[in-house]
PDB file of all heavy atoms in Angstrom:
ATOM      1  N   TRP B 199     104.082 211.222 136.600  1.00 89.00           N
ATOM      2  CA  TRP B 199     104.819 211.508 135.366  1.00 89.00           C
ATOM      3  C   TRP B 199     104.377 210.580 134.254  1.00 89.00           C
ATOM      4  O   TRP B 199     104.633 210.815 133.100  1.00 89.00           O
ATOM      5  CB  TRP B 199     106.333 211.366 135.594  1.00 89.00           C
ATOM      6  CG  TRP B 199     106.878 212.403 136.518  1.00 89.00           C
ATOM      7  CD1 TRP B 199     106.301 213.586 136.846  1.00 89.00           C
ATOM      8  CD2 TRP B 199     108.124 212.331 137.230  1.00 89.00           C
ATOM      9  NE1 TRP B 199     107.095 214.268 137.727  1.00 89.00           N
ATOM     10  CE2 TRP B 199     108.223 213.530 137.981  1.00 89.00           C
ATOM     11  CE3 TRP B 199     109.150 211.418 137.301  1.00 89.00           C
ATOM     12  CZ2 TRP B 199     109.309 213.801 138.787  1.00 89.00           C
ATOM     13  CZ3 TRP B 199     110.242 211.675 138.097  1.00 89.00           C
ATOM     14  CH2 TRP B 199     110.316 212.873 138.852  1.00 89.00           C
ATOM     15  N   ASN B 200     103.771 209.455 134.631  1.00 87.00           N
ATOM     16  CA  ASN B 200     103.263 208.571 133.582  1.00 87.00           C
ATOM     17  C   ASN B 200     101.856 208.123 133.959  1.00 87.00           C
ATOM     18  O   ASN B 200     101.406 208.309 135.086  1.00 87.00           O
ATOM     19  CB  ASN B 200     104.194 207.375 133.389  1.00 87.00           C
ATOM     20  CG  ASN B 200     104.286 206.509 134.618  1.00 87.00           C
ATOM     21  OD1 ASN B 200     103.275 206.060 135.147  1.00 87.00           O
ATOM     22  ND2 ASN B 200     105.503 206.266 135.090  1.00 87.00           N
ATOM     23  N   HIS B 201     101.169 207.528 132.980  1.00 86.00           N
ATOM     24  CA  HIS B 201      99.778 207.114 133.203  1.00 86.00           C
ATOM     25  C   HIS B 201      99.622 205.622 132.962  1.00 86.00           C
ATOM     26  O   HIS B 201      98.642 205.183 132.387  1.00 86.00           O
ATOM     27  CB  HIS B 201      98.839 207.881 132.272  1.00 86.00           C
ATOM     28  CG  HIS B 201      98.901 209.354 132.482  1.00 86.00           C
ATOM     29  ND1 HIS B 201      99.722 210.177 131.760  1.00 86.00           N
ATOM     30  CD2 HIS B 201      98.250 210.149 133.366  1.00 86.00           C
ATOM     31  CE1 HIS B 201      99.582 211.420 132.166  1.00 86.00           C
ATOM     32  NE2 HIS B 201      98.693 211.439 133.149  1.00 86.00           N
ATOM     33  N   MET B 202     100.617 204.850 133.381  1.00 91.00           N
ATOM     34  CA  MET B 202     100.533 203.422 133.121  1.00 91.00           C
ATOM     35  C   MET B 202      99.429 202.753 133.933  1.00 91.00           C
ATOM     36  O   MET B 202      98.778 201.834 133.480  1.00 91.00           O
ATOM     37  CB  MET B 202     101.880 202.756 133.421  1.00 91.00           C
ATOM     38  CG  MET B 202     102.903 202.997 132.337  1.00 91.00           C
ATOM     39  SD  MET B 202     104.295 201.886 132.466  1.00 91.00           S
ATOM     40  CE  MET B 202     105.009 202.373 134.014  1.00 91.00           C
ATOM     41  N   PHE B 203      99.244 203.227 135.168  1.00 92.00           N
ATOM     42  CA  PHE B 203      98.233 202.610 136.023  1.00 92.00           C
ATOM     43  C   PHE B 203      96.962 203.459 136.008  1.00 92.00           C
ATOM     44  O   PHE B 203      96.942 204.547 136.590  1.00 92.00           O
ATOM     45  CB  PHE B 203      98.767 202.468 137.457  1.00 92.00           C
ATOM     46  CG  PHE B 203      99.909 201.506 137.557  1.00 92.00           C
ATOM     47  CD1 PHE B 203     101.214 201.930 137.366  1.00 92.00           C
ATOM     48  CD2 PHE B 203      99.677 200.158 137.829  1.00 92.00           C
ATOM     49  CE1 PHE B 203     102.264 201.038 137.439  1.00 92.00           C
ATOM     50  CE2 PHE B 203     100.725 199.260 137.902  1.00 92.00           C
ATOM     51  CZ  PHE B 203     102.019 199.699 137.710  1.00 92.00           C
ATOM     52  N   PRO B 204      95.917 202.979 135.347  1.00 91.00           N
ATOM     53  CA  PRO B 204      94.711 203.808 135.181  1.00 91.00           C
ATOM     54  C   PRO B 204      94.073 204.196 136.513  1.00 91.00           C
ATOM     55  O   PRO B 204      93.451 205.256 136.599  1.00 91.00           O
ATOM     56  CB  PRO B 204      93.760 202.915 134.384  1.00 91.00           C
ATOM     57  CG  PRO B 204      94.464 201.667 134.073  1.00 91.00           C
ATOM     58  CD  PRO B 204      95.805 201.679 134.680  1.00 91.00           C
ATOM     59  N   TRP B 205      94.225 203.379 137.541  1.00 92.00           N
ATOM     60  CA  TRP B 205      93.588 203.709 138.815  1.00 92.00           C
ATOM     61  C   TRP B 205      94.270 204.865 139.525  1.00 92.00           C
ATOM     62  O   TRP B 205      93.745 205.395 140.502  1.00 92.00           O
ATOM     63  CB  TRP B 205      93.525 202.481 139.731  1.00 92.00           C
ATOM     64  CG  TRP B 205      94.864 201.859 140.021  1.00 92.00           C
ATOM     65  CD1 TRP B 205      95.455 200.848 139.348  1.00 92.00           C
ATOM     66  CD2 TRP B 205      95.766 202.207 141.078  1.00 92.00           C
ATOM     67  NE1 TRP B 205      96.664 200.534 139.889  1.00 92.00           N
ATOM     68  CE2 TRP B 205      96.885 201.365 140.968  1.00 92.00           C
ATOM     69  CE3 TRP B 205      95.744 203.161 142.107  1.00 92.00           C
ATOM     70  CZ2 TRP B 205      97.976 201.434 141.828  1.00 92.00           C
ATOM     71  CZ3 TRP B 205      96.839 203.220 142.969  1.00 92.00           C
ATOM     72  CH2 TRP B 205      97.932 202.356 142.821  1.00 92.00           C
ATOM     73  N   MET B 206      95.472 205.265 139.016  1.00 91.00           N
ATOM     74  CA  MET B 206      96.152 206.395 139.641  1.00 91.00           C
ATOM     75  C   MET B 206      95.681 207.731 139.073  1.00 91.00           C
ATOM     76  O   MET B 206      96.072 208.789 139.566  1.00 91.00           O
ATOM     77  CB  MET B 206      97.665 206.288 139.412  1.00 91.00           C
ATOM     78  CG  MET B 206      98.338 205.271 140.292  1.00 91.00           C
ATOM     79  SD  MET B 206     100.103 205.337 140.036  1.00 91.00           S
ATOM     80  CE  MET B 206     100.612 203.888 140.926  1.00 91.00           C
ATOM     81  N   ALA B 207      94.862 207.654 138.008  1.00 89.00           N
ATOM     82  CA  ALA B 207      94.441 208.896 137.372  1.00 89.00           C
ATOM     83  C   ALA B 207      93.589 209.713 138.327  1.00 89.00           C
ATOM     84  O   ALA B 207      92.994 209.195 139.274  1.00 89.00           O
ATOM     85  CB  ALA B 207      93.651 208.583 136.107  1.00 89.00           C
ATOM     86  N   GLU B 208      93.506 211.009 138.043  1.00 87.00           N
ATOM     87  CA  GLU B 208      92.810 211.919 138.936  1.00 87.00           C
ATOM     88  C   GLU B 208      91.303 211.650 138.952  1.00 87.00           C
ATOM     89  O   GLU B 208      90.701 211.395 137.905  1.00 87.00           O
ATOM     90  CB  GLU B 208      93.054 213.357 138.475  1.00 87.00           C
ATOM     91  CG  GLU B 208      93.383 214.276 139.639  1.00 87.00           C
ATOM     92  CD  GLU B 208      94.021 215.556 139.133  1.00 87.00           C
ATOM     93  OE1 GLU B 208      95.142 215.477 138.595  1.00 87.00           O
ATOM     94  OE2 GLU B 208      93.378 216.588 139.278  1.00 87.00           O
ATOM     95  N   GLY B 209      90.694 211.664 140.109  1.00 88.00           N
ATOM     96  CA  GLY B 209      89.244 211.592 140.201  1.00 88.00           C
ATOM     97  C   GLY B 209      88.642 210.204 140.145  1.00 88.00           C
ATOM     98  O   GLY B 209      87.429 210.057 140.224  1.00 88.00           O
ATOM     99  N   VAL B 210      89.470 209.185 139.988  1.00 90.00           N
ATOM    100  CA  VAL B 210      88.928 207.826 139.876  1.00 90.00           C
ATOM    101  C   VAL B 210      88.207 207.421 141.161  1.00 90.00           C
ATOM    102  O   VAL B 210      87.197 206.717 141.135  1.00 90.00           O
ATOM    103  CB  VAL B 210      90.048 206.835 139.521  1.00 90.00           C
ATOM    104  CG1 VAL B 210      89.556 205.404 139.627  1.00 90.00           C
ATOM    105  CG2 VAL B 210      90.562 207.096 138.123  1.00 90.00           C
ATOM    106  N   PHE B 211      88.724 207.892 142.293  1.00 91.00           N
ATOM    107  CA  PHE B 211      88.119 207.528 143.575  1.00 91.00           C
ATOM    108  C   PHE B 211      87.147 208.608 144.077  1.00 91.00           C
ATOM    109  O   PHE B 211      86.663 208.531 145.199  1.00 91.00           O
ATOM    110  CB  PHE B 211      89.200 207.311 144.647  1.00 91.00           C
ATOM    111  CG  PHE B 211      90.180 206.221 144.295  1.00 91.00           C
ATOM    112  CD1 PHE B 211      91.509 206.322 144.685  1.00 91.00           C
ATOM    113  CD2 PHE B 211      89.772 205.105 143.603  1.00 91.00           C
ATOM    114  CE1 PHE B 211      92.410 205.326 144.375  1.00 91.00           C
ATOM    115  CE2 PHE B 211      90.672 204.094 143.277  1.00 91.00           C
ATOM    116  CZ  PHE B 211      91.987 204.208 143.660  1.00 91.00           C
ATOM    117  N   ASP B 212      86.887 209.618 143.240  1.00 90.00           N
ATOM    118  CA  ASP B 212      86.104 210.764 143.699  1.00 90.00           C
ATOM    119  C   ASP B 212      84.706 210.734 143.065  1.00 90.00           C
ATOM    120  O   ASP B 212      84.568 210.941 141.854  1.00 90.00           O
ATOM    121  CB  ASP B 212      86.849 212.054 143.299  1.00 90.00           C
ATOM    122  CG  ASP B 212      86.060 213.292 143.675  1.00 90.00           C
ATOM    123  OD1 ASP B 212      85.033 213.165 144.380  1.00 90.00           O
ATOM    124  OD2 ASP B 212      86.478 214.392 143.248  1.00 90.00           O
ATOM    125  N   PRO B 213      83.648 210.455 143.847  1.00 92.00           N
ATOM    126  CA  PRO B 213      82.293 210.311 143.292  1.00 92.00           C
ATOM    127  C   PRO B 213      81.809 211.533 142.524  1.00 92.00           C
ATOM    128  O   PRO B 213      80.926 211.406 141.682  1.00 92.00           O
ATOM    129  CB  PRO B 213      81.418 210.067 144.527  1.00 92.00           C
ATOM    130  CG  PRO B 213      82.360 209.609 145.582  1.00 92.00           C
ATOM    131  CD  PRO B 213      83.680 210.243 145.304  1.00 92.00           C
ATOM    132  N   THR B 214      82.356 212.718 142.799  1.00 92.00           N
ATOM    133  CA  THR B 214      81.889 213.918 142.108  1.00 92.00           C
ATOM    134  C   THR B 214      82.614 214.139 140.789  1.00 92.00           C
ATOM    135  O   THR B 214      82.260 215.048 140.040  1.00 92.00           O
ATOM    136  CB  THR B 214      82.118 215.151 142.998  1.00 92.00           C
ATOM    137  OG1 THR B 214      83.526 215.255 143.268  1.00 92.00           O
ATOM    138  CG2 THR B 214      81.359 215.047 144.306  1.00 92.00           C
ATOM    139  N   SER B 215      83.617 213.346 140.506  1.00 91.00           N
ATOM    140  CA  SER B 215      84.426 213.564 139.311  1.00 91.00           C
ATOM    141  C   SER B 215      83.846 212.813 138.122  1.00 91.00           C
ATOM    142  O   SER B 215      83.256 211.743 138.276  1.00 91.00           O
ATOM    143  CB  SER B 215      85.858 213.098 139.574  1.00 91.00           C
ATOM    144  OG  SER B 215      86.532 212.889 138.359  1.00 91.00           O
ATOM    145  N   PRO B 216      83.996 213.355 136.897  1.00 91.00           N
ATOM    146  CA  PRO B 216      83.548 212.606 135.705  1.00 91.00           C
ATOM    147  C   PRO B 216      84.376 211.348 135.491  1.00 91.00           C
ATOM    148  O   PRO B 216      83.969 210.453 134.775  1.00 91.00           O
ATOM    149  CB  PRO B 216      83.751 213.613 134.567  1.00 91.00           C
ATOM    150  CG  PRO B 216      84.733 214.610 135.078  1.00 91.00           C
ATOM    151  CD  PRO B 216      84.520 214.694 136.573  1.00 91.00           C
ATOM    152  N   ASN B 217      85.560 211.306 136.096  1.00 89.00           N
ATOM    153  CA  ASN B 217      86.419 210.140 135.977  1.00 89.00           C
ATOM    154  C   ASN B 217      86.087 209.049 136.989  1.00 89.00           C
ATOM    155  O   ASN B 217      86.760 208.019 137.017  1.00 89.00           O
ATOM    156  CB  ASN B 217      87.891 210.542 136.181  1.00 89.00           C
ATOM    157  CG  ASN B 217      88.531 210.945 134.871  1.00 89.00           C
ATOM    158  OD1 ASN B 217      88.041 210.586 133.805  1.00 89.00           O
ATOM    159  ND2 ASN B 217      89.620 211.685 134.960  1.00 89.00           N
ATOM    160  N   TYR B 218      85.094 209.283 137.835  1.00 93.00           N
ATOM    161  CA  TYR B 218      84.815 208.356 138.933  1.00 93.00           C
ATOM    162  C   TYR B 218      84.544 206.944 138.407  1.00 93.00           C
ATOM    163  O   TYR B 218      83.788 206.737 137.448  1.00 93.00           O
ATOM    164  CB  TYR B 218      83.619 208.836 139.745  1.00 93.00           C
ATOM    165  CG  TYR B 218      83.289 207.924 140.900  1.00 93.00           C
ATOM    166  CD1 TYR B 218      84.204 207.751 141.935  1.00 93.00           C
ATOM    167  CD2 TYR B 218      82.081 207.233 140.959  1.00 93.00           C
ATOM    168  CE1 TYR B 218      83.913 206.919 142.994  1.00 93.00           C
ATOM    169  CE2 TYR B 218      81.786 206.392 142.004  1.00 93.00           C
ATOM    170  CZ  TYR B 218      82.714 206.238 143.040  1.00 93.00           C
ATOM    171  OH  TYR B 218      82.441 205.403 144.085  1.00 93.00           O
ATOM    172  N   ASP B 219      85.159 205.973 139.033  1.00 92.00           N
ATOM    173  CA  ASP B 219      85.019 204.586 138.610  1.00 92.00           C
ATOM    174  C   ASP B 219      84.659 203.757 139.839  1.00 92.00           C
ATOM    175  O   ASP B 219      85.529 203.427 140.649  1.00 92.00           O
ATOM    176  CB  ASP B 219      86.344 204.106 138.006  1.00 92.00           C
ATOM    177  CG  ASP B 219      86.208 202.720 137.408  1.00 92.00           C
ATOM    178  OD1 ASP B 219      85.363 201.947 137.892  1.00 92.00           O
ATOM    179  OD2 ASP B 219      86.950 202.422 136.455  1.00 92.00           O
TER     180      ASP B 219
END
Side-chain angles (χ1 to χ4, degrees):
Chain B
W199 293 341
N200 63 54
H201 300 93
M202 283 195 295
F203 294 88
W205 57 267
M206 284 185 190
E208 225 163 294
V210 171
F211 300 146
D212 177 9
T214 60
S215 161
N217 271 340
Y218 180 64
D219 186 331

